[in-house]
């Protein structure tokens, strides 16, 4: 076990090493660009020791925003031949700065609210938030307009990578129905990480089919909504979007009091009314819905408990989820596994099928804290501290042994450790 000051400087060094002059790459080699939800988490870490750098991270992210409001999942700021599918694969859509054509869980508004509330330099924060807010408003309006044109209250996602939980078994059935791309290509991820931790080839062929599909449809929202062979109501995205919109409303009330945001308030009401549609009676859990088959997907993953983070629940429902977490984490000393251990697809080392992710553990504790569910919260916190103390900053961890897996010197793990794990240790030691 390392000393606290050693862990802090290691985490700061990880962010500095992965800093590309304004944006933070997740890790060298495997992920050499700026990723959307990673950046939000990185900003929290940067704020603990370099506040201007935290704001800069977000400015670099919104540089990639599309005219329709979408903030993409990857911004390809500079060239790199280490990643596939890179900018040449996604298509440009009249843009000079290449990006992907899908988004990622919209943490941004919540991150901005947190940075603002915790800023040491309040006048700089006010300036930054005023500058960022119009783009974030456009981003949330894009989600509700383009991804829920029928106003169901539950936005749709079009690619497993949009969920951020890329390789979750929850997507298997829906992805199996997507055709496989029939062109030759060369994967780069297997050059960086063992193949037993990465997706299978058949899955990769389908990921790529979807990338081509968006491009071939000229990124047209209506055509994609009607014809995309993969359409999911993802309880993770839905919860994170909802929480983000609540935080966005708070920011707008503070900084842009004349802005009419009734549309956003109505959107949140629709989501609250529609969420019960994702409750699976048999599994007694929230699950995702496949819109192609119009059936719930009965696979319990960490997304299933994110309605806690989304502040979407009544206290009695929150209690049920907290009890579920209390049992789930028993026997998992190194964090909540991304897939419930009772699922047949549970696989402790393959990414999103079992490993524990530090930032997801943090999101869930945020929800538990909000609902006063301290037992489950403490169990996750203890497990998360153990990982950082014993293993350092990996992309994800074996939930039973804590073995670090995936990329090493990983930015969002270091960042969330600085913001969350290392701070309470400091105050209690
Ligand atoms: C993987 C993860 C995704 C993350 C990205 C960069 O693709 O599944 O959530 O944003 O890596 O860290």
């Amino acid at each position: 076990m390392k000393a606290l000051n050693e862990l802090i400087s290691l985490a700061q060094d990880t962010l500095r090493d992965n800093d590309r002059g304004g944006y933070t790459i997740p890790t060298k080699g495997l992920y050499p660009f700026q990723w959307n939800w990673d950046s939000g988490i990185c900003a929290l870490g940067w704020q603990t020791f370099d506040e201007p750098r935290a704001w800069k991270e977000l400015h670099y992210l919104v540089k990639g925003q599309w005219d329709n409001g979408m903030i993409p999942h990857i911004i390809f700021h500079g060239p790199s031949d280490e990643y596939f599918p890179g900018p040449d694969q996604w298509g440009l859509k009249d843009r000079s700065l290449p990006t992907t054509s899908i988004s990622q869980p919209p943490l941004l508004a919540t991150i901005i609210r947190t940075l603002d509330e915790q800023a040491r330099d309040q006048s700089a924060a006010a300036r930054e938030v005023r500058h960022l807010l119009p783009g974030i408003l456009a981003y949330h309006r894009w989600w509700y307009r383009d991804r829920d044109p029928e106003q169901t209250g539950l936005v749709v996602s079009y690619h497993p990578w949009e969920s951020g939980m890329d390789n979750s078994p929850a997507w298997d059935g829906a992805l199996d129905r997507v055709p496989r791309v029939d062109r030759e290509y060369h994967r780069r991820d297997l050059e960086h990480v063992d193949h037993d931790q990465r997706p299978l080839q058949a899955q990769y062929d389908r990921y790529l089919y979807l990338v081509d599909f968006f491009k071939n449809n000229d990124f047209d929202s209506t055509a994609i909504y009607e014809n995309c062979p993969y359409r999911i109501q993802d309880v993770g995205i839905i919860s994170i979007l909802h929480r983000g919109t609540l935080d966005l409303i708070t920011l707008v009330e503070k900084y842009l009091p004349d802005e009419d945001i009734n549309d956003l308030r109505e959107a949140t009401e629709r989501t609250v009314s529609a969420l019960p549609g994702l409750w699976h009676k048999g599994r007694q859990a929230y699950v995702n819905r496949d819109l192609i088959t119009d059936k719930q997907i009965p696979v319990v993953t960490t997304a299933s408990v994110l309605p806690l983070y989304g502040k979407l629940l009544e206290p009695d429902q929150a209690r049920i989820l907290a009890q579920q977490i209390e049992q789930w984490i028993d026997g998992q000393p190194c964090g909540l596994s991304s897939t419930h251990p009772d699922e047949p697809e549970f696989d402790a080392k393959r990414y999103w099928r079992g490993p524990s992710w530090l930032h997801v553990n943090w999101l869930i504790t945020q929800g538990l804290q909000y609902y006063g569910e301290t037992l489950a919260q403490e169990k996750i916190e203890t497990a998360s501290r153990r990982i950082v103390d014993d293993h350092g900053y990996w992309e994800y961890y074996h939930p039973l042994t804590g073995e670090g897996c995936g990329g090493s010197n990983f930015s969002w793990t270091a960042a969330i450790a600085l913001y969350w794990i290392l701070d309470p240790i400091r105050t209690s030691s």
Side-chain angles (χ1 to χ4, degrees):
M1 185 172 144
K2 294 192 168 61
L4 177 63
N5 56 3
E6 212 182 321
L7 283 170
I8 291 176
S9 51
L10 202 65
Q12 293 181 348
D13 287 349
T14 300
L15 290 184
R16 287 197 197 96
D17 277 357
N18 290 335
D19 183 5
R20 293 293 173 271
Y23 66 96
T24 316
I25 58 166
T27 187
K28 284 181 197 146
L30 186 62
Y31 301 126
F33 307 105
Q34 185 179 30
W35 263 255
N36 183 330
W37 71 327
D38 296 60
S39 269
I41 301 285
C42 287
L44 293 181
W46 280 112
Q47 197 190 29
T48 63
F49 66 106
D50 185 348
E51 199 156 284
R53 181 60 187 76
W55 291 111
K56 202 172 188 185
E57 183 76 31
L58 304 187
H59 286 296
Y60 268 74
L61 182 61
V62 298
K63 278 186 190 190
Q65 184 162 28
W66 285 21
D67 291 346
N68 65 4
M70 198 259 287
I71 300 182
H73 112 281
I74 305 176
I75 320 292
F76 299 111
H77 289 287
S80 169
D81 58 8
E82 293 187 289
Y83 181 82
F84 181 89
D88 56 320
Q89 300 289 315
W90 289 86
L92 266 182
K93 201 196 180 219
D94 310 326
R95 297 186 42 81
S96 52
L97 179 58
T99 70
T100 58
S101 61
I102 53 173
S103 193
Q104 247 191 341
L107 280 183
L108 209 49
T110 303
I111 299 292
I112 294 173
R113 181 176 173 193
T114 309
L115 293 185
D116 180 47
E117 286 179 354
Q118 299 185 358
R120 291 179 287 279
D121 184 344
Q122 279 292 324
S123 64
R127 207 171 49 241
E128 300 286 359
V129 178
R130 283 205 175 86
H131 181 75
L132 288 165
L133 263 186
I136 309 304
L137 271 167
Y139 181 40
H140 280 245
R141 287 182 165 134
W142 168 80
W143 272 108
Y144 292 119
R145 184 189 62 239
D146 277 42
R147 296 309 188 83
D148 186 20
E150 295 177 66
Q151 305 205 329
T152 65
L154 303 174
V155 294
V156 57
S157 87
Y158 295 138
H159 198 294
W161 294 346
E162 198 153 51
S163 72
M165 304 185 177
D166 305 18
N167 195 34
S168 166
W171 319 137
D172 287 356
L175 196 61
D176 273 355
R177 270 182 269 105
V178 172
R180 292 175 72 158
V181 81
D182 57 8
R183 61 188 171 86
E184 292 289 311
Y185 63 92
H186 176 47
R187 281 174 74 169
R188 308 306 298 260
D189 57 322
L190 300 178
E191 291 162 20
H192 304 290
V193 175
D194 281 355
H195 69 94
D196 66 345
Q197 295 178 26
R198 297 295 302 175
L200 306 172
Q201 194 57 38
Q203 292 166 318
Y204 235 84
D205 285 352
R206 295 180 165 104
Y207 296 149
L208 267 197
Y209 178 91
L210 291 169
V211 169
D212 289 355
F213 176 84
F214 306 135
K215 195 167 49 182
N216 295 340
N217 278 274
D218 203 19
F219 313 104
D220 180 85
S221 296
T222 311
I224 295 171
Y225 183 72
E226 283 169 5
N227 302 319
C228 184
Y230 178 95
R231 274 173 285 166
I232 299 284
Q233 284 170 337
D234 169 357
V235 67
I237 288 184
I238 288 163
S239 302
I240 290 171
L241 175 67
H242 185 79
R243 167 69 183 269
T245 305
L246 298 179
D247 291 324
L248 179 58
I249 290 171
T250 304
L251 286 169
V252 172
E253 284 166 348
K254 179 172 170 188
Y255 287 109
L256 299 175
D258 295 333
E259 178 83 18
D260 179 356
I261 47 169
N262 277 332
D263 58 328
L264 293 181
R265 291 200 176 90
E266 285 164 15
T268 59
E269 284 160 19
R270 281 196 294 272
T271 303
V272 171
S273 316
L275 190 77
L278 299 183
W279 180 254
H280 192 284
K281 278 211 194 99
R283 305 304 307 270
Q284 286 290 294
Y286 288 99
V287 296
N288 307 289
R289 176 180 285 276
D290 184 336
L291 287 178
I292 305 279
T293 57
D294 200 23
K295 288 205 172 92
Q296 292 181 327
I297 304 168
V299 180
V300 179
T301 70
T302 35
S304 301
V305 293
L306 284 178
L308 289 162
Y309 169 81
K311 302 185 176 174
L312 270 159
L313 306 175
E314 295 298 328
D316 55 333
Q317 295 168 299
R319 186 78 276 274
I320 295 173
L321 264 55
Q323 278 169 337
Q324 198 173 55
I325 294 170
E326 287 160 16
Q327 291 165 6
W328 180 337
I329 197 160
D330 270 346
Q332 297 192 333
C334 299
L336 207 62
S337 60
S338 38
T339 298
H340 195 285
D342 292 346
E343 296 295 348
E345 299 89 352
F346 174 83
D347 185 344
K349 280 173 70 169
R350 201 178 283 275
Y351 93 144
W352 295 111
R353 291 178 178 258
S356 148
W357 299 69
L358 205 63
H359 75 293
V360 176
N361 284 320
W362 172 71
L363 292 175
I364 295 167
T365 60
Q366 291 296 289
L368 291 165
Q369 185 176 18
Y370 175 75
Y371 286 101
E373 292 290 351
T374 45
L375 177 62
Q377 181 193 339
E378 280 162 13
K379 283 185 177 212
I380 297 182
E381 281 174 1
T382 306
S384 302
R385 272 178 202 177
R386 184 173 295 126
I387 307 176
V388 169
D389 280 353
D390 295 350
H391 302 278
Y393 309 118
W394 287 84
E395 185 176 5
Y396 43 86
Y397 303 85
H398 190 302
L400 308 181
T401 66
E403 179 194 347
C405 304
S408 57
N409 301 318
F410 214 87
S411 294
W412 64 4
T413 313
I416 203 63
L418 280 172
Y419 176 75
W420 175 43
I421 299 295
L422 301 176
D423 209 36
I425 293 181
R426 185 174 14 208
T427 49
S428 66
S429 59

